[in-house]
Amino acid sequence: AQRVTQPEKLLSVFKGAPVELKCNYSYSGSPELFWYVQYSRQRLQLLLRHISRESIKGFTADLNKGETSFHLKKPFAQEEDSAMYYCAPRPAAGNKLTFGGGTRVLVKP
Amino acid sequence: DTGVSQNPRHKITKRGQNVTFRCDPISEHNRLYWYRQTLGQGPEFLTYFQNEAQLEKSRLLSDRFSAERPKGSFSTLEIQRTEQGDSAMYLCASSPGADYGYTFGSGTRLTVV
């Protein structure tokens, strides 16, 4: 079965510290991978997608096909990074995203 | 274009009543998705349209749920004979293609009392 797992429900870090959000998936083939973010009282929005290889707001995500992981990282967390983060793979031949359970990031001053 | 618009923002209904939600996607986007999100969970897929065609529907979706997208523009999601378990945030999203991410609406929060 196709599954996506975000093992941490909550990550609490101090401002300026690195933060890494884990995402593991169990999909065959080469899924397309996305990270979404939801700030307080705002709608879900796309943070980054693997296919574009971009860095958004200092975040990057590395695809590890061997470990079937797509962890999200930022070297120096800022208070405005406090939000809910969702990993969302899409099967290579599929049409829809499947969202993980989410990780809440709290960046303390 | 103001993005994806959902109406109403909130809906409180009595158990057994029918409710209908509306989603207006970004006009250039031919793909439209409905998801449901409950507290502490990620969004859960309900159904997907490409233009006016409903191409996929979750097996979790009971017969009480129906969605339409006439003319390939706005979409409606109807829940008949609502149950307390239907209480959730209903999210609509649109996309211009499979390789692109979604643009989400603000959602409709349904409370069944």
Side-chain angles (χ1 to χ4, degrees):
Chain A
Q2 298 173 339
R3 303 184 74 171
V4 53
T5 303
Q6 294 181 248
E8 304 116 342
K9 285 288 188 184
L10 173 66
L11 277 179
S12 183
V13 300
F14 285 102
K15 177 182 173 182
V19 62
E20 181 180 42
L21 290 76
K22 292 184 170 54
C23 172
N24 295 93
Y25 61 91
S26 57
Y27 283 61
S28 57
S30 299
E32 186 51 54
L33 293 140
F34 300 80
W35 276 96
Y36 281 77
V37 61
Q38 187 167 27
Y39 301 102
S40 179
R41 294 186 175 82
Q42 295 187 26
R43 60 186 71 186
L44 265 169
Q45 56 187 277
L46 177 65
L47 180 62
L48 59 80
R49 51 182 176 145
H50 173 251
I51 194 171
S52 58
R53 302 283 197 275
E54 55 198 347
S55 172
I56 303 293
K57 299 184 179 182
F59 284 95
T60 58
D62 296 323
L63 173 61
N64 186 321
K65 289 188 176 181
E67 296 181 357
T68 59
S69 68
F70 188 55
H71 302 331
L72 184 69
K73 302 176 185 179
K74 184 169 183 176
F76 307 103
Q78 303 300 311
E79 289 183 67
E80 55 265 30
D81 297 327
S82 295
M84 281 293 296
Y85 292 81
Y86 296 95
C87 179
R90 177 183 59 78
N95 294 301
K96 67 179 188 290
L97 303 180
T98 298
F99 287 81
T103 297
R104 178 172 297 281
V105 171
L106 177 61
V107 182
K108 297 176 287 187
Chain B
D1 197 325
T2 56
V4 178
S5 177
Q6 290 189 247
N7 289 288
R9 292 293 302 273
H10 304 275
K11 179 70 177 178
I12 300 174
T13 191
K14 291 184 178 180
R15 189 175 54 184
Q17 297 295 304
N18 299 343
V19 294
T20 301
F21 310 141
R22 177 179 170 124
C23 172
D24 288 273
I26 293 174
S27 55
E28 305 85 45
H29 290 184
N30 61 354
R31 294 171 179 240
L32 186 147
Y33 303 82
W34 286 98
Y35 281 75
R36 177 173 62 189
Q37 187 174 24
T38 52
L39 198 61
Q41 304 294 321
E44 175 187 41
F45 172 76
L46 293 179
T47 191
Y48 152 63
F49 290 85
Q50 187 161 332
N51 299 311
E52 67 275 9
Q54 187 174 19
L55 297 185
E56 192 170 347
K57 191 174 175 181
S58 169
R59 287 171 291 177
L60 302 174
L61 213 58
S62 78
D63 291 342
R64 297 184 297 105
F65 288 72
S66 62
E68 294 183 340
R69 193 185 182 194
K71 303 178 183 178
S73 56
F74 71 93
S75 175
T76 57
L77 177 68
E78 181 183 16
I79 309 174
Q80 296 182 328
R81 304 180 303 281
T82 52
E83 302 172 355
Q84 286 189 320
D86 297 332
S87 295
M89 176 72 85
Y90 289 83
L91 299 169
C92 177
S94 68
S95 172
D99 288 337
Y100 298 84
Y102 297 169
T103 301
F104 277 92
S106 295
T108 293
R109 181 170 297 283
L110 173 66
T111 303
V112 182
V113 298

